[in-house]
Amino acid sequence: MQVDLRQSWWIRDVEIPTRLVLAPMAGVSVQAFRRQGRRYGAGLVCSEMVSCAGLEHKNERTLGYLRVARDEHPLAIQIFGSEPQVMAEAARMVVAAGADIVDINFGCPVRKVTKTGAGATLLEDPDRACAIVEAVASTAGVPVSVKMRRGLEDGSRACLTVGPRLVEAGAATLTLHPRSARQMYTGEADHSLTAELVERVDVPVIASGDITSRARAQAVLATTSAAAVMVGRGAQGNPWALREIVDGDAAEPSREEVAAELIVFVRETVRELGGRRAAGFLKKFYGWYLGRGRFPKSFKQELVQLESTDDIVMRLLAAAPGAAEIVEGLESELPDPADEILLDSMPISIYGGG
C-alpha cells in the first residue's frame, strides 16, 4: 500500500505537513540546511544537538544554535545532557527561542557524548532517561520527542522496553534509528524493531535509518506502520533527494540549479556563522553538492583551495552563469533576518555571526 507522503500528521497539537522529517545532524543542521529542507518537502526540521551544559553556562557558540527563522516552522530543537533539571532549563530556553518541539537525544553514539552519561548511554539507564523526559515535558509547554537507537550493543532490544516508559514519562513521539551505538552507521537498520515499537506505544513513531529513496521510504512505512520517515545523510548537499522521496520527482538538477543552491547555502551560512567560521564549516559541503557526477572532481578541489566564501561564489557563477537568475529567485523568497527570534540573554556578537 502506497502512503501519501504529502499527508499531514500531528505530534500532539503540532501539525506536520508531510511525512518526511529532516534529521538533526551535528556539524550539518545549521539554519540554512533546515530552511532548504523545508523548501524541498521536509515537514519537520531539526536543529543539530545542543548541549544543555552549554546553554546553562551561556556558552556563546551554543547559544548561537538558537537562531530561528519564520520559514523553519515546524521546528524541533534537539538537546542533550544527563541531568534532569539542567535539561528542563535547557528546554525552557529553546522554547523561548522558538522551538515548536523539544527533541531529546538518547541516540548519539559518539564517545565524547556517551562518556558524560548522555546520548545512547541513557538507554542503559532507563530511570534517569525517564526522569529527564518527565522534567522536560513538565517544563517545556510544547510536545517532547525522543530520538534513540536500539541500544548500546549489537542485538540490543533496549529501545522496546525503554520506549514505552518514555511515553509514560511524557514523550509525545519517538524516533527510532534501529542500529546499535556500537554499529555507528555500519550494517543495516533493522526496521523490524521499528514495527515492534509502533505496536508497543500509542504515540507516533518516526522511522530513521537507511531512508535513501521514495521506494525505501514507502517500504518502511508500509512494513512498520510508522507515522513518518527521517532522512539524514542522504540529504547532505542533496535536497533533491527529499523532493524525490516526497513527490517521486527523480529529475536530476541542472548544474545551474546545483550551483544556485550551493551559493544560497554559502551566503546564508556566512550570515549565521560569520565568514571565518563558515569558511571552514562549508568545505565538506562542496563535495556533497558537486559530487554524483554533477561537476568534475577537480572543481571541488579548486573550491576547497579558495580562501574566501566570496571567491567561492564568484567561481560557482563563472562555472554556471545561469545560476545567477536562480539565486535571485531563491533569495527573494527568504524572510527578513529581522524576523528571527533572538533571546535577550544571547551575547550580542552572535547576532552578527560572531
Side-chain angles (χ1 to χ4, degrees), residues 37-315:
R38 290 286 291 123
R39 284 194 288 110
Y40 275 86
L44 175 66
V45 295
C46 308
S47 75
E48 62 182 290
M49 60 182 187
V50 180
S51 166
C52 69
L55 293 178
E56 180 185 28
H57 294 105
K58 304 295 191 291
N59 176 273
E60 184 168 333
R61 182 167 292 193
T62 305
L63 289 168
Y65 293 136
L66 304 188
R67 310 181 66 124
V68 176
R70 60 179 169 83
D71 60 341
E72 294 187 69
H73 299 287
L75 167 70
I77 295 182
Q78 186 182 84
I79 58 176
F80 75 97
S82 59
E83 296 298 327
Q85 290 311 310
V86 177
M87 288 282 279
E89 177 59 20
R92 185 196 66 76
M93 292 181 70
V94 303
V95 171
D100 302 294
I101 295 166
V102 177
D103 187 60
I104 301 175
N105 184 305
F106 289 166
C108 182
V110 177
R111 173 65 179 161
K112 71 178 182 180
V113 172
T114 58
K115 72 179 182 181
T116 68
T121 301
L122 285 159
L123 296 173
E124 302 297 323
D125 190 355
D127 290 341
R128 180 177 290 271
C130 290
I132 289 171
V133 171
E134 186 173 3
V136 170
S138 64
T139 301
V142 301
V144 172
S145 60
V146 176
K147 188 172 190 290
M148 58 184 180
R149 290 205 167 214
R150 67 181 298 163
L152 286 180
E153 302 298 330
D154 294 350
S156 172
R157 294 170 59 83
C159 61
L160 300 181
T161 55
V162 177
R165 292 189 58 185
L166 299 178
V167 172
E168 290 177 9
T173 186
L174 301 173
T175 298
L176 178 61
H177 184 151
R179 283 184 172 91
S180 68
R182 180 180 292 277
Q183 276 183 276
M184 298 290 285
Y185 296 99
T186 63
E188 295 183 359
D190 181 4
H191 282 293
S192 67
L193 283 174
T194 310
E196 288 190 64
L197 182 63
V198 169
E199 289 293 319
R200 296 187 184 205
V201 298
D202 59 359
V203 298
V205 172
I206 302 167
S208 175
D210 300 343
I211 309 298
T212 56
S213 67
R214 181 176 177 85
R216 181 61 176 157
Q218 290 284 3
V220 169
L221 289 171
T223 57
T224 65
S225 297
V229 291
M230 177 175 281
V231 175
R233 289 171 293 161
Q236 293 174 345
N238 192 29
W240 301 276
L242 303 178
R243 182 177 66 188
E244 189 274 331
I245 290 171
V246 172
D247 295 323
D249 182 354
E252 274 294 306
S254 67
R255 291 180 64 166
E256 289 74 20
E257 289 173 311
V258 172
E261 285 291 351
L262 180 51
I263 289 168
V264 173
F265 188 84
V266 167
R267 287 175 172 172
E268 286 295 288
T269 302
V270 169
R271 185 182 67 82
E272 180 179 357
L273 302 182
R276 183 179 301 175
R277 277 184 62 199
F281 173 86
L282 286 163
K283 287 183 183 297
K284 58 181 173 284
F285 284 89
Y286 303 145
W288 291 342
Y289 274 93
L290 305 176
R292 303 177 178 86
R294 294 168 181 164
F295 284 81
K297 291 182 179 180
S298 59
F299 186 60
K300 177 256 185 180
Q301 293 302 321
E302 181 182 344
L303 292 189
V304 170
Q305 298 302 317
L306 295 176
E307 292 186 1
S308 76
T309 53
D310 286 341
D311 291 340
I312 296 290
V313 170
M314 290 179 61
R315 185 66 187 90

